Amino acid sequence: DDWAPFSPTLTRLVDLLSTRFNVRVLAFDTGRFDLGVLDQRQYVRVPLPHPVASIVRAIGLLRVVRTFLLAIHIRKHASRTTQLVAIDADGATATWLAQRRMHYLSLEVARPSLASFLVPRFADSIVIQSKERLDYQFRASSIAKLPVFYVQNAPIAPETLPRPHRCDPSHPKLVYMGNLIPTHGLLRMLDLLRIWPEATLTLQGVVTSSVSELMRDSYMDLFDSGRLSVENRYLEETEIQGFLSEFDIGICLYEPPTRGRMNFNYESSPSGKMFNYFAAGLPVLASRHVGLQPVSDYSAGIQAASNTASDLHAAGLALCRNHEHYRRGAISASRSFDFARAANRFIEFLSSTHADR
């Protein structure tokens, strides 16, 4: 999709691959995002003018058009000795249409999906976030002979450990970094702040005018007290750890759907904010969400019994009381999910495959 060039997983992988290979990224461009900020020597635009993209999206043909455009550009830009990394089902389909083999990079999972048919037959390896997502997307027997590399949506672990830090129970500093929307627990966090009078909360992320109006209408008392603040400036990846180091607890919540079943891609999606909290040595206050299970697995925080203000408050108090224990768990998780270490296994595999050609 046109957001993919800005995926942290992709940008980090491109940076690491570039130390070994000459890398080109075919970036689908509808004009919705400014691809001009990307390195033009590496990112080759696959253009579809915005008015045309809007029309084909409205009639349900955007994925078809996108896939054929990608296939044409693969044939144009990739020599027969070029190794191709196909992103998600459309990338796999485009690579197959170009009559090429691939290494498959999964950012999203879905059923049904052409990836479940194409990857076992035309892929030489799979890069995916977790075994749960692998098992959801593919039958084990169909990919039994394929090398699988688990690479989470995590930053490169810092070389130096985060500095020691304690939580002052008389003034705990909470932070949330991400999309400021109700489905990501925004209102739950504000309700928590209201019943935790000692705490402050900093929201870092882009906020729409409608959400900003909602917060001002219903939670103006929190702004007035100075306990709630919003920072909407963009943080470069190199700035994130320094920013987070000023806080005591990182919040990562997701709301279940009000109707229907939870979408597994959404439920199991790896949260970038969670991994950034880990890298900063920040204990995590999380919801009970499959994608947030590392919080419990590494004792890197607490998954609250529910998203109610009272349960979140109880978990937050426990995090503050045992802050050093959970801080060490967060650092351990950061080391385990270090993007460079995980991705380098895949890069070594690519290097050996390239040498065999």
Side-chain angles (χ1 to χ4, degrees), residues 124-129 147-151 342-343 345-347 349-350:
D124 295 318
S125 69
I126 298 171
V127 179
I128 196 166
Q129 298 96 340
V148 176
F149 302 91
Y150 295 112
V151 181
R345 298 187 186 104
F346 172 59
I347 293 171
F349 174 76
L350 285 180

Side-chain angles (χ1 to χ4, degrees), residues 116-136:
S116 301
F117 172 81
L118 294 173
V119 170
R121 292 165 175 81
F122 303 104
D124 295 318
S125 69
I126 298 171
V127 179
I128 196 166
Q129 298 96 340
S130 66
K131 189 175 187 305
E132 292 83 3
R133 289 169 73 85
L134 181 77
D135 292 343
Y136 180 83

Side-chain angles (χ1 to χ4, degrees), residues 60-124:
L61 293 178
L62 180 62
R63 292 187 64 184
V64 174
V65 172
R66 177 173 64 207
T67 299
F68 275 98
L69 285 174
L70 286 171
I72 291 168
H73 278 73
I74 289 171
R75 296 180 73 93
K76 178 180 178 181
H77 292 283
S79 71
R80 298 307 299 182
T81 58
T82 300
Q83 296 195 75
L84 300 178
V85 178
I87 301 174
D88 288 334
D90 290 357
T93 305
T95 307
W96 172 70
L97 288 172
Q99 299 180 313
R100 298 290 298 276
R101 293 192 67 80
M102 72 189 85
H103 302 279
Y104 183 69
L105 171 60
S106 172
L107 298 181
E108 298 190 343
V109 295
R111 288 180 182 169
S113 171
L114 275 174
S116 301
F117 172 81
L118 294 173
V119 170
R121 292 165 175 81
F122 303 104
D124 295 318

Side-chain angles (χ1 to χ4, degrees), residues 4-183:
F6 300 94
S7 159
T9 294
L10 182 60
T11 57
R12 291 172 188 137
L13 185 59
V14 168
D15 287 344
L16 291 175
L17 283 169
S18 297
T19 64
R20 301 277 194 96
F21 299 96
N22 182 16
V23 179
R24 294 291 181 272
V25 180
L26 299 182
F28 186 59
D29 183 11
T30 65
R32 285 201 308 166
F33 304 99
D34 181 13
L35 269 64
V37 302
L38 301 172
D39 187 342
Q40 300 303 295
R41 295 167 299 179
Q42 287 189 317
Y43 288 81
V44 178
R45 299 186 189 207
V46 179
L48 184 66
H50 186 67
V52 178
S54 298
I55 292 171
V56 296
R57 180 182 282 109
I59 61 177
L61 293 178
L62 180 62
R63 292 187 64 184
V64 174
V65 172
R66 177 173 64 207
T67 299
F68 275 98
L69 285 174
L70 286 171
I72 291 168
H73 278 73
I74 289 171
R75 296 180 73 93
K76 178 180 178 181
H77 292 283
S79 71
R80 298 307 299 182
T81 58
T82 300
Q83 296 195 75
L84 300 178
V85 178
I87 301 174
D88 288 334
D90 290 357
T93 305
T95 307
W96 172 70
L97 288 172
Q99 299 180 313
R100 298 290 298 276
R101 293 192 67 80
M102 72 189 85
H103 302 279
Y104 183 69
L105 171 60
S106 172
L107 298 181
E108 298 190 343
V109 295
R111 288 180 182 169
S113 171
L114 275 174
S116 301
F117 172 81
L118 294 173
V119 170
R121 292 165 175 81
F122 303 104
D124 295 318
S125 69
I126 298 171
V127 179
I128 196 166
Q129 298 96 340
S130 66
K131 189 175 187 305
E132 292 83 3
R133 289 169 73 85
L134 181 77
D135 292 343
Y136 180 83
Q137 187 70 83
F138 302 105
R139 286 186 296 106
S141 60
S142 71
I143 57 168
K145 296 182 179 180
L146 282 181
V148 176
F149 302 91
Y150 295 112
V151 181
Q152 280 283 16
N153 180 29
I156 295 174
E159 293 182 3
T160 57
L161 292 176
R163 58 181 173 79
H165 183 80
R166 67 178 294 271
C167 177
D168 181 355
S170 68
H171 185 59
K173 293 178 289 185
L174 316 180
V175 65
Y176 169 86
M177 189 175 68
N179 289 333
L180 300 178
I181 52 178
T183 54

